[in-house]
Amino acid sequence: MKEVNVIKNGRVLTPFKTIEKGVVVFEGEKIVAVGRENEVRTPKSAKIIDASDGVVAPGFIDIHVHGGKGRDVMDASYEAINELSKFFATHGNTAFVATTISASRSELLKVAKAVRLAMEKGTDGAEVLGIHMEGPYMSPDERGAHAADQIRPPSLEEFQEIWEASNRAVRMVTLAPEWAGSEKFIENLRSLGVVASVGHSNATYSQVVDAIQHGLRHASHTFHRMRGFHHREPGVVGAVLVHDELTAELICDNVHVHPTAMKLLVKAKGANRVVLITDAIRAVGMPNGEYKVGKATVIVKNGVSRSAVGELAGSTLTMDRAVRNMVKSVGLPLQTAIKMAATNPATTLGIDKVKGSVKPGKDADIVIIDEEVNVYMTIVKGRVVYAT
Ligand SMILES: [Zn+2]
C-alpha cells in the first residue's frame, strides 16, 4: 500500500484555478484528488500536511540554471548535482534542467555522464530533468561570459556523442541559428524531441524566421545576449516578441532586464509563453566575492555577477525571488507568475502531461509558500524534500 498524504488548510493555485481551503491528496508519487474540503474524501489513515493558510502550488521548474551554493553543473560530478538539487528545493524548485556552458567536447561528455548518473540514481532534492546545452554553438559576437575559444558551429556528430553519453537526456540546446548548418541541426533536435532555442545570437529577423520553419521553438534569456530590436531590422528580439511558435525565457532579477522590458515581453507573449528562469551560477546562496564560471572568474557584488570586464555573467536569482519579482516589479497576479515558473516550463519541455500543475494524475510536485513567496515546504514526487 502506498502512503496517502493530504495537504489541508491552504489556498490551492492549480494554477488554472484557485481553491480556497483546498485539499490536495497524493498517493505515492502521484496526485489523486484536488478540491474543496467538503468535496474530497480523505482516507482516515492519511498523513495530514497542514498548509497553515499558505498557498499550495505546483513546484517551480528551472530550465536554465548553471549552479548554486558553490556548485556548478560543469563540476561534472554526482555530488555537485545532488547538492544543487537540495539547494534548489529550498527555493521551491521541484525540478530543474542542468545547464552547461560552452566547453570542450570532453568536458561536455563528462557533464553528460554525471547528469545521467544523477537521473539514474535520483537526487535528494529537486528532480534532474536532463541537460540544457547552452552553447557551444553560439555567436562569438554575443558570447558574454562564454570562453571565445570554446565557441564553434553546430556539429551533428558532436551532439550525437553527447546525446548518447547522457542516455538521451539532452532536453534543450541554445544556439545561434545564423551558423551554417544550423537548419539541419535544428531539424535533428526536433526529430529527437529536443527543444531548439535561439540565444547568444546575432541573427537577423529573417534568419530567426527561417529557423522557426525548421523547428526552432524557444528563446533563451530573452533580450539578453541577442540582436536587439530595430524598427527596420527587428533582430532576434523582434522575432521572439512576434512569433507565437517561440516560448520565451526571462531572467526577472530586475538587473538583466528592465521591468519595462519584462512588461513588454508579457504583453507580447501572453501568460502562457513566458518562462521564468534564473540562469543562476555557483555564487547563488554564497557571500559576495570571486567565483568561477567555467575557466573565467566573475565578481559578485551586491548579488550582481559580472565578468572581469564588467559584463553581466549569470545571475544570483532563485525561482522564489523570480516569482516575487513578477508580482512586485511587473504587477502580475501571483497565480500568473506561478504559471510562468511551473506550468510554462513544463509545456516548453513537453512534459506538461505529468508536471507543471496540481491536478489528479500528475506528479506530486508541490510547493507550499506564503503570499510573499517564502517557501515553507517542497514536495518532489510525493516526498517532502524541504520543510522549514
Ligand atoms: Zn547565457
Side-chain angles (χ1 to χ4, degrees):
M1 269 281 283
K2 286 178 191 159
E3 192 184 68
V4 179
N5 289 269
V6 179
I7 306 175
K8 276 187 166 174
N9 299 324
R11 187 159 74 94
V12 180
L13 300 181
T14 69
F16 298 95
K17 57 180 179 183
T18 304
I19 309 166
E20 302 293 345
K21 289 276 171 210
V23 171
V24 178
V25 185
F26 56 95
E27 197 179 320
E29 293 188 355
K30 296 284 180 188
I31 297 169
V32 292
V34 181
R36 261 195 281 256
E37 220 169 68
N38 54 3
E39 295 171 343
V40 176
R41 275 193 45 219
T42 58
K44 273 208 172 68
S45 59
K47 221 176 110 193
I48 306 292
I49 296 171
D50 187 349
S52 324
D53 295 323
V55 172
V56 180
F60 309 141
I61 303 173
D62 193 351
I63 64 172
H64 189 154
V65 61
H66 301 278
K69 203 78 185 168
R71 316 287 176 148
D72 194 292
V73 170
M74 297 307 292
D75 295 346
S77 71
Y78 173 81
E79 196 253 343
I81 293 166
N82 190 40
E83 289 303 313
L84 287 175
S85 144
K86 289 196 275 184
F87 174 66
F88 296 150
T90 69
H91 291 282
N93 299 24
T94 51
F96 69 104
V97 183
T99 307
T100 58
I101 60 168
S102 301
S104 69
R105 182 185 298 211
S106 65
E107 282 173 287
L108 292 172
L109 284 169
K110 257 168 89 184
V111 176
K113 286 172 193 154
V115 173
R116 174 186 184 160
L117 182 62
M119 291 173 76
E120 285 169 359
K121 255 174 95 168
T123 51
D124 296 323
E127 183 183 351
V128 185
L129 295 175
I131 300 168
H132 174 172
M133 286 175 65
E134 189 180 20
Y137 319 127
M138 58 172 58
S139 163
D141 304 329
E142 295 286 357
R143 65 184 174 84
H146 290 248
D149 58 357
Q150 296 299 350
I151 288 163
R152 48 195 178 270
S155 159
L156 281 164
E157 183 262 318
E158 180 179 63
F159 177 80
Q160 188 64 26
E161 203 182 336
I162 295 166
W163 174 246
E164 277 160 22
S166 71
N167 195 22
R168 310 179 144 236
V170 180
R171 297 278 166 261
M172 182 176 283
V173 178
T174 293
L175 52 85
E178 62 268 37
W179 277 114
S182 70
E183 292 176 350
K184 237 186 160 168
F185 190 85
I186 291 169
E187 280 171 5
N188 179 56
L189 293 181
R190 187 143 181 81
S191 72
L192 297 171
V194 180
V195 180
S197 180
V198 56
H200 289 270
S201 163
N202 193 25
T204 61
Y205 173 75
S206 69
Q207 283 173 322
V208 181
V209 172
D210 283 348
I212 291 172
Q213 271 146 23
H214 290 274
L216 186 79
R217 285 296 172 267
H218 187 66
S220 296
H221 44 57
T222 307
F223 300 113
H224 182 61
R225 301 276 165 237
M226 58 173 61
R227 186 194 281 257
F229 182 83
H230 185 279
H231 54 291
R232 278 188 289 277
E233 172 38 83
V236 180
V237 168
V240 176
L241 292 178
V242 163
H243 288 276
D244 290 346
E245 291 90 341
L246 303 179
T247 43
E249 289 178 2
L250 179 63
I251 312 175
C252 45
D253 63 350
N254 294 333
V255 175
H256 281 75
V257 183
H258 190 282
T260 297
M262 294 194 222
K263 284 178 192 168
L264 173 64
L265 186 70
V266 172
K267 278 200 172 188
K269 303 303 290 179
N272 297 326
R273 289 193 179 85
V274 175
V275 178
L276 306 189
I277 57 150
T278 65
D279 196 13
I281 57 163
R282 70 170 83 239
V284 188
M286 303 287 280
N288 287 336
E290 287 189 6
Y291 295 92
K292 283 279 177 204
V293 170
K295 289 183 175 64
T297 301
V298 299
I299 300 135
V300 177
K301 209 173 140 188
N302 304 323
V304 178
S305 164
R306 291 184 188 277
S307 70
V309 290
E311 287 179 326
L312 287 171
S315 89
T316 60
L317 188 61
T318 49
M319 286 300 280
D320 47 352
R321 197 150 63 80
V323 172
R324 195 178 307 136
N325 286 347
M326 289 310 274
V327 174
K328 296 220 158 134
S329 306
V330 179
L332 293 184
L334 180 59
Q335 192 171 352
T336 308
I338 286 172
K339 198 182 226 184
M340 293 174 174
T343 316
N344 299 356
T347 313
T348 297
L349 295 177
I351 55 169
D352 47 315
K353 279 205 167 70
V354 284
K355 292 194 184 292
S357 54
V358 180
K359 273 189 192 159
K362 304 261 171 121
D363 287 348
D365 288 351
I366 297 163
V367 65
I368 302 177
I369 55 179
D370 65 12
E371 296 289 334
E372 301 287 303
V373 204
N374 295 300
V375 178
Y376 291 100
M377 186 179 280
T378 308
I379 300 166
V380 176
K381 284 190 165 172
R383 195 160 57 102
V384 176
V385 297
Y386 172 71
T388 50

